Amino acid sequence: MYQPKTIPEIPLPDDIDRREQLTRERIFPRLTKSEAGGGKKAEIFYERLETEFPRLFRTLYHLYGNRYDFYYHLEDLLHRMAGIYSERSPELRARDLNKEKNPDWYKSEKMVGGICYVDLYAGDLKKLKKKIPYFKELGLTYMHLMPFFRCPEGESDGGYAVSSYRHVRKDLGTMDDLEELATAFHEHGINLVVDFINNHTSDRFKWAEEARRGDPDYMEHYYMFPDRTLPDQYDQTLRAIFPEVRHGNFTRVDEIDRWVWTTFHSYQWDLNYRNPAVFNAIAEELLVLANRGVDVLRMDAVAFTWKKMGTDCENLPEAHYILQALNAVASVVCPGLLLKSEAIVHPDEVNRYIGSVECQLSYNPLLMALSWESLATRETKLLAHSMKHRFQIDENCSWVNYVRCHDDIGWTFSDEDAAELGIHGNDHRSFLNRFYSGRFPGSFARGVPFQHNPENDDMRICGSAASLTGLEKGLEDNSSNDIDLSIKRIEMMYGVAYSIGGIPLLYLGDEWGVLNDYSYLETPGKVHDSRWAHRPDLRKGAKSDLVVNDVAKRLTAWFKKMGAIRSSEPVMGNTITRFPDQPDPHLFTFLRGQGAEKLLVIANFSEFERKLHNDWITDQLHAVSYRNLLNGEHRSVHNELHVDPYQILWLKPVSG
């Protein structure tokens, strides 16, 4: 049985209320109205601070309460918050107030997301602004831009080795360009989403550069060791994230004669959150970004931020306190900002990062992985079982549902869930890896292995949605039937993501059926990272060599239609999702809403026609007739509903 880690290193003392009150009485008088902007502006700041201070104090106490300098750093944090708040523009402060009045804004049916690389999709930030009309055609109101900050030339983990949050990469523009883009997005009803990599920095970040020069204060911003004694002890319980890159989690830095903790790549130095100065510095970077017009921050690698000897250093309680404290900071300075967790870990752990006082949004890696699992097996039992038990989250939060993204596919389903259905977890992952890498007989997929670990045969899968669903193979075989089935698979999987509840996320290029791009194998800085197979250059749009024109037209029309239907149906928004039992193992079904406002979704994960008795449909919708929103077809109750291969139905009851 999976056991989450829940006991913090520093528990709250019995007199925590008294300590908080005394701290408030001693520190607050040293905060002035002028440093928060003065007048009514400052009053709003201090009203929010009064509300949020109890939880900010408690979360920071869990992290730093046993340090001699805890109260110094707490006061420093509050001064930083006031100063950055004073610089927040009137437009953004008005946007904050509007979102406070409409706290469920991100749960609306009108929320439809897109994600892209600025350089690969448009060229730079100014050119991306010209794409807004197309984004609106797709119905996008949430636009996630992959990392565009200054980073080292050559290998940079796709931009996730950030060298400065205060500078955009020179080839992409400037911070002023970013601010102008955010303003344009807001004018067109689009929320700006940006990655915030708070587990590590590039080894060229200003803090790392100072540490390289031997500055003791900045050396304490990272985990540094004079020899291998402690790193060897830590490594005994740590897993290798990138086993093809190197063994172990530490990198030798000769300039300072130290071993530095590097969970991911050797040029990504893990931050030392045991140092409260690091928390304050990261909080400042977060707030400065918010002041540029960012609406949502994707918190990268949240599971790894706290280290403790004898553990795997993942999902420790303090990792949650870091996020909760950042949430409290944002709630005071920029309450319109949301945090989105990126935790590709055990499903139980994924759900623990979701909460109104932690991350209001979360990727839904379980839905993603099990949608691909169901596509391979043609059975939905593990998907249905897992969603029934794990889909419901804090009512004030929302999933971000995706089919593909910039990253690999990891099979992070629960072994406990699988065992209940007679499935052996590791054996099943091995099958899925063989299926999606095209090594299983009868596979339609053309995926690429990622980070194979020979010690346990673990790996992940890369590839575009089109190549993974069979389009690449269909084109190779010149099979019109296989091409058609691939398109239907893409439509069906995204149809689930658009309707299941939460914010659907379109990985831009999937609406054109973009194929794998194997040019990364000949590109320095990319050749060792197979994720570049599904990060192609899309600046030519649907005219790219990786796109088939007829396929692009068909898929683009589908996505535009789905976006329009979703945004016009309140049942797609802030309503509940249920997963009623049904007899067909190849169908995935769920019910949105309640009362008269309902939507029944039926998805066929097989290449065979399936039949579903109308009595079951009537029991769900409590109606004798219904309409398929996706094609406008009306039906009255007959004996059976025929569901075509890979078809998805959005059925809404018709009264009268």
Side-chain angles (χ1 to χ4, degrees):
M1 187 70 178
Y2 186 84
Q3 292 294 330
K5 312 172 189 79
T6 57
I7 301 176
E9 293 183 35
I10 306 175
L12 296 179
D14 292 339
D15 64 343
I16 189 64
D17 290 344
R18 178 175 176 274
R19 296 190 188 201
E20 181 238 309
Q21 183 61 35
L22 286 174
T23 302
R24 182 195 300 257
E25 292 172 359
R26 292 168 179 172
I27 292 180
F28 277 31
R30 296 202 287 269
L31 302 172
T32 66
K33 280 192 173 184
S34 61
E35 65 183 308
K40 179 63 177 178
K41 182 178 181 179
E43 289 178 13
I44 293 173
F45 173 83
Y46 288 113
E47 286 173 5
R48 290 176 182 153
L49 182 60
E50 285 282 353
T51 300
E52 301 297 341
F53 186 75
R55 71 181 179 102
L56 177 62
F57 180 79
R58 283 162 176 76
T59 51
L60 290 176
Y61 195 98
H62 272 303
L63 296 169
Y64 309 118
N66 63 354
R67 285 185 58 113
Y68 74 94
D69 55 357
F70 168 50
Y71 295 96
Y72 165 80
H73 285 289
L74 175 60
E75 182 174 346
D76 172 64
L77 174 65
L78 298 182
H79 285 295
R80 294 189 195 211
M81 291 165 59
I84 296 172
Y85 172 81
S86 72
E87 299 169 355
R88 193 158 174 80
S89 71
E91 293 78 16
L92 292 178
R93 285 187 284 111
R95 194 169 172 83
D96 289 333
L97 291 172
N98 184 56
K99 288 181 177 179
E100 284 182 305
K101 293 175 182 176
N102 301 279
D104 292 333
W105 63 270
Y106 52 91
K107 302 184 75 176
S108 167
E109 66 276 6
K110 300 186 185 301
M111 292 298 293
V112 178
I115 179 172
C116 71
Y117 284 90
V118 174
D119 53 343
L120 297 176
Y121 194 79
D124 59 35
L125 291 168
K126 286 185 179 294
K127 291 174 183 173
L128 187 70
K129 188 163 65 172
K130 297 178 181 178
K131 303 288 186 180
I132 290 176
Y134 175 64
F135 295 158
K136 294 186 72 175
E137 288 178 20
L138 291 170
L140 304 186
T141 55
Y142 167 113
M143 195 61 215
H144 181 174
L145 307 185
M146 300 302 296
F148 50 79
F149 298 106
R150 181 181 294 172
C151 61
E153 294 184 6
E155 293 192 18
S156 64
D157 191 24
Y160 283 90
V162 173
S163 298
S164 172
Y165 281 112
R166 311 289 178 106
H167 299 88
V168 172
R169 269 173 42 194
K170 288 184 179 180
D171 60 315
L172 299 182
T174 66
M175 290 300 285
D176 287 342
D177 293 335
L178 174 65
E179 198 164 337
E180 289 177 11
L181 178 64
T183 299
F185 274 0
H186 295 164
E187 289 173 352
H188 290 278
I190 301 174
N191 294 277
L192 175 60
V193 187
V194 170
D195 286 272
F196 191 65
I197 301 93
N198 64 309
N199 175 71
H200 49 263
T201 72
S202 156
D203 61 358
R204 299 302 172 189
F205 202 89
K206 61 182 180 180
W207 307 336
E209 295 282 15
E210 292 299 323
R212 282 180 184 276
R213 297 186 184 100
D215 186 312
D217 289 337
Y218 284 101
M219 290 177 74
E220 289 184 0
H221 273 48
Y222 303 94
Y223 286 92
M224 295 188 171
F225 306 91
D227 55 43
R228 286 290 313 187
T229 303
L230 289 177
D232 285 344
Q233 293 179 38
Y234 276 112
D235 263 337
Q236 291 177 17
T237 54
L238 300 178
R239 67 182 173 113
I241 304 302
F242 291 148
E244 291 181 354
V245 175
R246 72 181 196 286
H247 293 288
N249 289 263
F250 300 87
T251 298
R252 174 76 178 178
V253 180
D254 292 334
E255 298 101 302
I256 50 175
D257 193 26
R258 292 290 188 276
W259 288 89
V260 179
W261 199 313
T262 54
T263 297
F264 296 95
H265 290 280
S266 59
Y267 49 80
Q268 292 168 305
W269 291 8
D270 284 36
L271 288 164
N272 175 17
Y273 276 98
R274 288 183 176 273
N275 178 0
V278 169
F279 178 87
N280 287 6
I282 280 292
E284 180 175 317
E285 299 299 314
L286 181 151
L287 295 176
V288 168
L289 274 180
N291 274 4
R292 291 290 189 171
V294 175
D295 297 285
V296 179
L297 285 175
R298 171 193 178 271
M299 309 301 287
D300 182 67
V302 296
F304 299 90
T305 51
W306 195 262
K307 326 295 187 187
K308 182 179 180 181
M309 182 71 76
T311 73
D312 60 3
C313 297
E314 296 181 38
N315 306 303
L316 293 169
E318 288 75 14
H320 295 276
Y321 295 134
I322 291 169
L323 289 171
Q324 290 167 21
L326 290 173
N327 178 299
V329 167
S331 295
V332 175
V333 178
C334 46
L337 180 75
L338 298 183
L339 304 184
K340 176 174 68 172
S341 69
E342 185 264 348
I344 313 302
V345 291
H346 190 283
D348 287 350
E349 295 290 1
V350 172
N351 286 33
R352 291 182 62 228
Y353 289 99
I354 306 168
S356 57
V357 298
E358 193 160 342
C359 290
Q360 302 96 331
L361 304 178
S362 172
Y363 277 131
N364 195 342
L366 187 60
L367 175 66
M368 180 277 297
L370 292 183
S371 293
W372 289 105
E373 185 270 346
S374 294
L375 204 64
T377 62
R378 281 75 161 180
E379 290 190 346
T380 61
K381 59 183 179 181
L382 184 54
L383 172 61
H385 176 85
S386 299
M387 291 300 104
K388 184 178 294 187
H389 292 90
R390 302 181 184 279
F391 188 82
Q392 303 304 328
I393 53 175
D394 185 324
E395 64 180 2
N396 297 310
C397 300
S398 182
W399 289 115
V400 176
N401 301 308
Y402 63 110
V403 174
R404 287 301 291 118
C405 68
H406 73 289
D407 224 337
D408 54 276
I409 298 175
W411 309 110
T412 54
F413 56 82
S414 162
D415 284 356
E416 295 82 4
D417 288 353
E420 288 184 36
L421 302 173
I423 299 171
H424 187 278
N426 286 336
D427 289 348
H428 199 49
R429 291 184 183 91
S430 178
F431 155 71
L432 292 169
N433 285 327
R434 285 182 288 126
F435 185 93
Y436 280 107
S437 59
R439 295 183 288 120
F440 190 83
S443 170
F444 48 73
R446 289 290 183 269
V448 185
F450 179 69
Q451 294 298 330
H452 177 251
N453 188 337
E455 295 181 7
N456 57 15
D457 202 34
D458 183 36
M459 60 184 271
R460 283 102 80 189
I461 292 293
C462 297
S464 71
S467 289
L468 290 173
T469 55
L471 182 59
E472 187 174 328
K473 181 179 182 299
L475 292 169
E476 290 172 357
D477 297 341
N478 195 27
S479 170
S480 59
N481 182 64
D482 288 351
I483 291 171
D484 181 64
L485 289 178
S486 171
I487 294 170
K488 288 179 176 178
R489 292 179 185 117
I490 295 172
E491 292 175 345
M492 183 268 295
M493 293 177 76
Y494 268 104
V496 170
Y498 269 58
S499 57
I500 197 169
I503 302 172
L505 188 64
L506 167 61
Y507 188 50
L508 286 167
D510 284 355
E511 83 278 19
W512 301 329
V514 173
L515 300 169
N516 285 348
D517 180 7
Y518 298 106
S519 67
Y520 79 94
L521 294 169
E522 301 171 357
T523 307
K526 296 181 180 180
V527 63
H528 300 299
D529 189 341
S530 56
R531 291 175 297 181
W532 287 105
H534 57 265
R535 300 171 180 175
D537 189 333
L538 299 175
R539 283 175 291 179
K540 292 183 180 179
K543 295 180 181 179
S544 166
D545 294 340
L546 300 171
V547 173
V548 177
N549 188 50
D550 290 343
V551 173
K553 287 182 178 179
R554 179 171 158 186
L555 282 172
T556 301
W558 174 262
F559 279 96
K560 289 180 179 179
K561 179 170 67 174
M562 276 203 305
I565 294 172
R566 174 188 160 88
S567 65
S568 66
E569 292 288 342
V571 73
M572 297 280 199
N574 190 11
T575 62
I576 63 172
T577 304
R578 289 171 287 166
F579 301 90
D581 293 330
Q582 56 83 22
D584 193 304
H586 307 288
L587 299 179
F588 178 52
T589 60
F590 52 89
L591 188 66
R592 300 296 313 281
Q594 55 190 344
E597 190 68 21
K598 289 182 180 179
L599 181 76
L600 178 63
V601 177
I602 303 172
N604 183 357
F605 274 81
S606 80
E607 61 265 59
F608 305 104
E609 181 186 272
R610 309 305 303 168
K611 298 177 182 178
L612 196 57
H613 203 280
N614 264 313
D615 285 349
W616 182 85
I617 298 173
T618 302
D619 288 343
Q620 309 310 316
L621 294 177
H622 301 290
V624 295
S625 61
Y626 48 85
R627 179 169 61 96
N628 180 9
L629 297 180
L630 290 169
N631 62 14
E633 180 181 281
H634 284 75
R635 290 181 60 96
S636 298
V637 172
H638 299 292
N639 289 330
E640 292 177 323
L641 172 68
H642 293 248
V643 187
D644 293 336
Y646 298 115
Q647 185 179 19
I648 184 163
L649 304 171
W650 290 356
L651 304 182
K652 188 174 182 180
V654 176
S655 59

